[in-house]
Amino acid sequence: MPHSNFDMETKQILVTGGTGYIGSHTVVELQNAGYEVIIVDNLSNSSVEVLGGIERITGIRPAFEQFDLIEKDKMDAFFSSYRNIEAIIHFAASKAVGESVEKPLLYYRNNLVSMINLLECQIKYGISNIVFSSSCTVYGQPDVLPVTENTPRKDAESPYGNTKRVNEDILKDTIAANPQIKGIALRYFNPVGAHPSAEIGELPLGIPANLVPFVTQTAAGLRTELMVFGNDYNTVDGSAVRDYINVVDLAKAHVIAVNRLVENKNKSGYEIFNLGTGTGISVLEIIQAFENSTGVKLNYKIVDRRAGDIEKIWADTTYANEELGWKAEKGLEETLLSAWNWEKKIRGIR
Ligand code: NAD
Ligand code: WQD
């Protein structure tokens, strides 16, 4: 493991999962804000080529260490060689809901052991600040909409969802017992889109489980048609409703969260923020907005509901807006166009 040759004055941020979808966009925003970034990723769901995309956008190639966070000895060696880390943003996790139902132990091991190892090292190496990627999945189908941070969590619908809930609790309890550590859990709603440069974006392996990659792959001709899962929900047009948040807007919230911790502006040791737009959008509205913004007609058909899906959810973003001074800025059509430009770029479509 190489020793850091960073300027000791510059604040270093460890980004676990930094070659992944949300991580890579966050690395760009951190570097734009003047932070030095070190990425740790095992490349289980991303490619080292993402580093080139980050470099082309920012002019800076972030430091990169490839290892698995469940390997404690490697993590320990990492922290003994990088001694100037101010904050950790912990993105690394397995995230496929369906796969987590098939392989629960893989999900519990990867997501929980990584978190525990990281917090143990944080304490040992005296790193004060951590931002954790949580998810609106912890709310299940809420009884009241929109959801605030105080909306009660519900039993998780999947082992994946349960790892988010348990990791939130692990973080909260660890901070309660170790007040020198401060943490922020960010509950993302549905992150979509890509960097406007089309240098980085989402790279799903195999058949996409998520809506927007399936939309763009259908438009690109990789899939024959999009299946709309259900049109008999109690929503505006019968299709299910979510809060789709642009990934660059989401990335910017991480910079604000890191600043808040580094500058000691947090109100308590453990804080939670919803990150969404505050607007619910149906699947059929996504299709319409995609067609409007790209001019591409989408093949789709209505099929049965997908098992485990909730009907509708969107965020109350008041707390993030007021307390973080953060607001989602990008519109839905701009966001879907960025997803399409990224898909075209990786498929060589002009
Ligand atoms: P992603 O799969 O693109 O990125 C995760 C990265 O972590 C990948 O690069 C993967 O290789 C790496 N990784 C996984 N396990 C690792 C391990 N044990 N050691 C080292 N690296 C490891 O996923 P993403 O969409 O960027 O999600 C980032 C985080 O946000 C995850 O924690 C995810 O659960 C959470 N989240 C995502 C969404 C979403 O819809 N994308 C929504 C809510 C929350
Ligand atoms: C969105 C909507 C589908 C695909 C998942 C996780 C959640 C969070 C975000 C991490 C739903 C519909 C989808 C398709 C469709 N991840 N759909 N046809 O299910 O809201 O959330 O990702 O924490 O935990 O569960 O996102 O993109 O899969 O679906 O009609 O081919 O699109 O039914 O209503 P979801 P999604």
Side-chain angles (χ1 to χ4, degrees):
M1 180 135 344
H3 279 271
S4 163
N5 57 359
F6 285 131
D7 173 355
M8 293 300 280
E9 294 304 309
T10 311
K11 290 189 166 47
Q12 294 180 358
I13 311 297
L14 164 59
V15 180
T16 76
T19 44
Y21 172 46
I22 307 169
S24 57
H25 290 81
T26 301
V27 171
V28 165
E29 298 307 322
L30 286 166
Q31 292 190 160
N32 284 343
Y35 284 111
E36 284 185 358
V37 174
I38 305 147
I39 293 174
V40 170
D41 203 297
N42 65 358
L43 302 181
S44 57
N45 197 36
S46 57
S47 154
V48 76
E49 283 154 34
V50 171
L51 299 175
I54 295 171
E55 187 175 6
R56 286 191 291 280
I57 298 169
T58 63
I60 302 163
R61 194 175 181 86
F64 174 66
E65 300 286 353
Q66 183 180 348
F67 66 90
D68 195 315
L69 295 171
I70 69 175
E71 295 191 54
K72 185 72 182 291
D73 51 339
K74 293 198 178 153
M75 189 188 281
D76 207 88
F78 168 84
F79 280 106
S80 24
S81 90
Y82 288 90
R83 300 307 290 264
N84 205 23
I85 294 172
E86 290 269 343
I88 300 168
I89 308 182
H90 182 39
F91 291 105
S94 301
K95 65 159 183 178
V97 174
E99 185 186 48
S100 81
V101 177
E102 306 292 321
K103 301 173 184 168
L105 292 176
L106 190 137
Y107 273 67
Y108 285 116
R109 176 183 290 277
N110 197 40
N111 295 1
L112 302 191
V113 175
S114 293
M115 184 69 162
I116 292 166
N117 284 348
L118 207 51
L119 290 169
E120 283 176 348
C121 281
Q122 235 194 303
I123 294 166
K124 177 171 173 188
Y125 290 94
I127 299 166
S128 306
N129 307 308
I130 182 163
V131 175
F132 170 61
S133 297
S134 191
S135 169
C136 70
T137 195
V138 300
Y139 296 117
Q141 176 61 67
D143 300 328
V144 180
L145 287 166
V147 287
T148 73
E149 290 76 1
N150 296 322
T151 296
R153 298 181 308 176
K154 289 205 167 159
D155 284 349
E157 298 278 346
S158 68
Y160 163 76
N162 204 28
T163 69
K164 290 294 164 195
R165 183 191 169 105
V166 174
N167 269 342
E168 283 191 354
D169 291 344
I170 291 174
L171 181 58
K172 177 166 67 77
D173 293 345
T174 303
I175 288 169
N178 300 272
Q180 74 276 21
I181 292 180
K182 299 167 285 164
I184 295 179
L186 298 175
R187 291 179 177 158
Y188 316 151
F189 282 65
N190 287 56
V192 292
H195 195 270
S197 65
E199 292 289 357
I200 53 173
E202 196 167 2
L203 278 171
L205 290 176
I207 301 171
N210 294 116
L211 177 62
V212 170
F214 207 105
V215 165
T216 56
Q217 289 197 7
T218 305
L222 274 81
R223 316 274 155 220
T224 45
E225 62 187 347
L226 169 72
M227 286 171 290
V228 175
F229 297 138
N231 70 344
D232 56 354
Y233 287 111
N234 180 22
T235 61
V236 59
D237 54 26
S239 64
V241 164
R242 301 286 184 274
D243 185 338
Y244 295 91
I245 170 82
N246 182 290
V247 69
V248 175
D249 281 340
L250 188 68
K252 288 178 177 166
H254 291 74
V255 178
I256 296 172
V258 165
N259 290 342
R260 181 177 177 89
L261 291 173
V262 168
E263 293 164 9
N264 275 310
K265 291 191 172 146
N266 53 303
K267 288 212 164 132
S268 61
Y270 174 63
E271 297 182 308
I272 299 168
F273 294 96
N274 283 342
L275 297 180
T277 65
T279 304
I281 302 287
S282 76
V283 177
L284 293 173
E285 286 171 335
I286 287 280
I287 294 171
Q288 190 63 58
F290 181 83
E291 291 184 344
N292 291 348
S293 61
T294 64
V296 181
K297 197 103 186 78
L298 211 59
N299 272 334
Y300 72 90
K301 69 170 176 198
I302 312 282
V303 299
D304 284 348
R305 293 180 178 192
R306 182 171 68 178
D309 266 352
I310 60 162
E311 180 169 270
K312 54 190 165 196
I313 189 166
W314 63 95
D316 183 328
T317 61
T318 311
Y319 190 56
N321 298 160
E322 291 180 357
E323 194 57 38
L324 294 179
W326 170 88
K327 201 173 187 330
E329 285 169 355
K330 292 179 187 287
L332 182 61
E333 291 196 3
E334 176 185 2
T335 298
L336 293 171
L337 185 59
S338 72
W340 176 230
N341 287 337
W342 166 246
E343 188 73 56
K344 283 199 296 185
K345 163 97 181 281
I346 57 177
R347 306 297 166 199
I349 299 170
R350 294 179 64 84

